[in-house]
């Protein structure tokens, strides 16, 4: 099966090919003979029931500094000419991102969009996880300084982070004395209109934050991400490092509970974050990462597993009556 794959992502010249999951997916798709197109979400157009974009046919190779080649751009009808759209641009999860999901939702009956745009819109990473409080650390979602102070008093030390942040940005630990808490909440409230996420600080984060990748609801692999010197954040994008790992019994239970719901929602490629082998902190559905590191440590072809699942879904869609 040869498919036309449109990749909605950030500029290709800005990525780190050594660890970028989207680039790994593109390499894997190309190796299977699929045709690749690259476009920016800002180039989407809709009229008279059609959704199209200015897209570049693209070929990729694992050569730093010479990792892609564009052919002349074309007008690509995403509903009629594409088999798959990979929605892989990085957050922020802002109105531009949300609007792209609304537009892509209009072609989802004909073209497979990964991940399902309606489900992505309804399941931002730090909001979707609230559906599973039994696995979460103590958590407060608020804009209130008074409520945050009361939460700090109950839990001794806390972490404050933007509700729609990504990549480990703007995550702050506040100690038991509440140093600068009022100033921090003032900055947060001035910067973001939405509430913020406040969680009990988990000392176990010093031993790592596990990224577990699920493909169509099944565990594909995991890495443990260790924070850098003097950091509480273990995200690879902010200096964390990765190591080989295994799942705990609690993590296996978390995946078993989440898996069927992810599959039902059409969330085919998901990365969940677990601290200390037991505390679920995020369910990443917008542009999850980690597959390159998993392959490096385990030899697991997660990109291939994702394309197996995509090809199966496209086959099902083609066989179903319209």
């Amino acid at each position: 099966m040869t498919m036309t794959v449109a990749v909605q992502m950030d500029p290709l010249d800005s990525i780190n090919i050594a660890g970028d999951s989207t680039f790994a997916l593109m390499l894997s798709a190309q190796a299977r003979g699929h045709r690749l197109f690259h476009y920016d979400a800002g180039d989407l157009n809709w009229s008279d029931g059609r959704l199209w974009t200015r897209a570049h046919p693209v070929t990729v190779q694992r050569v730093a500094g010479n990792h892609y080649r564009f052919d002349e751009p074309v007008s690509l009808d995403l509903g009629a000419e594409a088999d798959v759209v990979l929605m892989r641009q990085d957050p922020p999860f802002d109105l531009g991102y949300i609007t792209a999901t609304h537009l892509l939702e209009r072609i989802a009956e004909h073209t497979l969009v990964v991940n399902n745009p309606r489900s992505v819109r309804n399941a931002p990473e730090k909001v979707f996880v609230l559906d599973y409080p039994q696995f979460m650390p103590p958590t407060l979602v608020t804009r209130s300084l008074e409520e945050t102070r009361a939460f700090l008093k109950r839990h001794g030390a806390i972490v404050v982070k933007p509700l729609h942040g990504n990549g480990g940005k703007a995550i702050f630990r506040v100690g038991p004395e509440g140093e600068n808490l009022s100033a921090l909440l003032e900055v947060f409230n001035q910067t973001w209109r939405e509430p913020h996420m406040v969680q009990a600080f988990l000392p176990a984060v010093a031993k790592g934050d596990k990224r577990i990748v699920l493909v169509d609801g099944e565990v594909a692999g995991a890495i443990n991400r260790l924070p850098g010197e003097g950091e509480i954040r273990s995200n690879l994008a902010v200096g964390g490092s990765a190591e080989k790992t295994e799942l705990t019994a609690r993590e296996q239970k978390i995946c078993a509970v989440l898996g069927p719901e992810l599959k039902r929602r059409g969330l085919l490629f998901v990365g969940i974050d677990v601290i200390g082998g037991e505390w679920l902190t995020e369910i990443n559905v917008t542009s999850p990462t980690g597959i390159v590191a998993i392959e490096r440590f385990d030899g697991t072809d997660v990109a291939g597993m994702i394309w197996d699942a995509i090809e199966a879904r496209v086959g099902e869609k083609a066989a179903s009556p319209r």
Side-chain angles (χ1 to χ4, degrees), residues 116 119 128 214-218 257-270 309 312-313 316:
N116 180 287
S119 294
F128 186 17
L214 295 97
V215 175
D216 213 14
E218 300 292 332
V257 171
L258 265 61
E261 181 63 14
L262 299 178
K263 186 179 181 73
R264 186 188 71 79
R265 293 188 184 213
L267 295 170
L268 193 147
F269 176 15
V270 174
R313 290 286 186 97
E316 292 169 3

Side-chain angles (χ1 to χ4, degrees), residues 17 20 33 48 60-61 63 70 88 119 126-127 140 176 187 213 258 303 311:
I17 67 170
D20 190 89
D48 297 328
V60 290
Q61 59 181 357
V63 179
F70 279 163
R88 292 287 305 171
S119 294
K126 296 181 184 70
V127 177
L140 169 70
V187 171
V213 170
L258 265 61
E311 290 168 359

Side-chain angles (χ1 to χ4, degrees), residues 215-236:
V215 175
D216 213 14
E218 300 292 332
V219 174
I223 53 169
N224 192 44
R225 302 174 300 180
L226 297 166
E229 184 71 25
E231 274 282 0
I232 63 167
R233 303 175 299 172
S234 56
N235 307 70
L236 303 184

Side-chain angles (χ1 to χ4, degrees), residues 127-140:
V127 177
F128 186 17
V129 72
L130 302 180
D131 288 355
Y132 301 94
Q134 70 271 35
F135 299 129
M136 294 182 67
T139 298
L140 169 70

